[in-house]
Amino acid sequence: MTTGRGKFITLEGGEGVGKTTNQAFIRDFLQNNHIPVLITREPGGTRLAEKIRDLLLDIDSEPVSEQAELLLIFAARAQHIQQVIEPALAAGQWVLCDRFTDATYAYQGGGRSMAIDDIAWLEEKVQGHLRPDLTLLFDAPVITGMTRAGKRGTLDRFETEKQQFFEQVRQAYLQQAKCYPQRIKLIQADRPLQEVQQTLVEVLNKVVRNDSGFIDAGIVRR
Ligand code: T5A
């Protein structure tokens, strides 16, 4: 089905909103439509980037400066793009990535109140023209996601942040969705999984039929 360059789809949202659960569902849907899919995640996706992920999520680490956190995230992203994302897209695979740069705008820009200009500068340097073709933003009240994530037992370094941090993350994601309505599809995630996945099927059916208004990754600009 796919000829030429693949499509780059990202899954975004706060803690526990169902990104990982639905990544597998979306992969199966696309594969059933004869689309070659690569699933990956951020931070992570390569051996080096997964080591950086471990550093970022380690709850026992020394206090991590905001700048160190931001630079580590983009260091992992640079490696991930070069080693995994670009080769897969060039080979015609569709890349389904659990979190990407919208997460940086939400967590570091929104949660940590870091300068958006700094994030945008790093995005330009590290990604060049690469932007997602489609972003599925799973949105749910913070308490819903935290309750779901909390059932796993252990919390990582981000998950120990206060509720206010996650409210800012959510608002920053919603702001991104307002800025890029063509690219970012909002998925109401505080519903039973079956209903969420019904909505995903509706969105993905359009994508597969290629009438979704997929935006050319080379054209999208901040
Ligand atoms: N980060 C990342 C940054 O700060 N900046 C960045 O630029 C990037 C890329 C990564 C952390 O790194 C930070 C943000 C993150 O804190 P992560 O593991 O990718 O960590 O992110 P998490 O959000 O922590 O992942 P979670 O696994 O917590 O959330 P998911 O993937 O959204 O949720 P999922 O699918 O695991 O579901 C959680 C639970 O809810 C259930 C599932 O079965 C599961 O038990 N569930 C539902 N239950 C009821 N109804 C539904 N509709 C449900 N959907 C799922």
Side-chain angles (χ1 to χ4, degrees):
M1 136 121 221
T2 302
T3 53
R5 189 174 166 87
K7 298 292 183 192
F8 184 27
I9 302 178
T10 57
L11 281 61
E12 295 282 3
E15 309 292 309
V17 289
K19 299 175 298 300
T20 312
T21 305
N22 287 304
Q23 189 182 36
F25 176 81
I26 296 166
R27 177 202 58 205
D28 293 348
F29 178 92
L30 293 175
Q31 285 178 343
N32 289 338
N33 281 277
H34 313 291
I35 293 169
V37 187
L38 178 102
I39 64 168
T40 187
R41 68 174 180 182
E42 288 216 348
T46 79
R47 269 195 305 154
L48 176 65
E50 288 289 331
K51 284 183 182 171
I52 296 175
R53 177 190 178 91
D54 289 343
L55 293 174
L56 284 163
L57 299 193
D58 182 7
I59 197 165
D60 294 324
S61 78
E62 66 196 45
V64 181
S65 83
E66 290 180 352
Q67 286 204 326
E69 181 178 284
L70 180 65
L71 292 169
L72 282 170
I73 285 166
F74 271 104
R77 186 162 294 142
Q79 187 72 4
H80 190 206
I81 290 170
Q82 195 208 52
Q83 295 289 312
V84 174
I85 297 176
E86 277 295 356
L89 291 173
Q93 283 184 294
W94 286 31
V95 174
L96 195 52
C97 189
D98 191 341
R99 296 192 187 278
F100 195 62
T101 307
D102 289 309
T104 316
Y105 282 96
Y107 280 77
Q108 283 63 48
R112 305 243 187 267
S113 303
M114 295 187 77
I116 297 300
D117 284 354
D118 290 351
I119 299 172
W121 187 84
L122 285 163
E123 180 182 39
E124 204 67 35
K125 289 286 162 206
V126 168
Q127 294 171 219
H129 289 327
L130 179 70
R131 300 290 183 279
D133 295 294
L134 172 71
T135 296
L136 300 166
L137 172 56
F138 295 84
D139 179 61
V142 169
I143 191 69
T144 306
M146 293 304 288
T147 306
R148 286 183 196 163
K151 284 186 185 152
R152 277 194 303 250
T154 52
L155 299 178
D156 65 40
R157 194 173 62 83
F158 288 98
E159 288 167 344
T160 58
E161 291 289 343
K162 297 200 164 49
Q163 179 158 352
Q164 179 59 26
F165 174 88
F166 295 108
E167 298 290 355
Q168 289 171 209
V169 168
R170 185 184 184 200
Q171 290 313 315
Y173 266 132
L174 293 174
Q175 185 58 33
Q176 286 287 98
K178 262 194 201 150
C179 289
Y180 305 100
Q182 255 198 300
R183 170 173 68 86
I184 302 181
K185 307 285 179 213
L186 200 62
I187 308 288
Q188 194 196 327
D190 58 340
R191 296 176 293 159
L193 190 55
Q194 215 181 356
E195 284 182 30
V196 172
Q197 293 182 338
Q198 183 54 40
T199 304
L200 286 174
V201 167
E202 286 162 19
V203 172
L204 293 168
N205 266 327
K206 289 184 191 162
V207 168
V208 167
R209 289 202 310 268
N210 203 20
D211 62 355
S212 64
F214 249 152
I215 42 179
D216 185 329
I219 292 171
V220 184
R221 286 283 181 280
R222 289 191 176 280

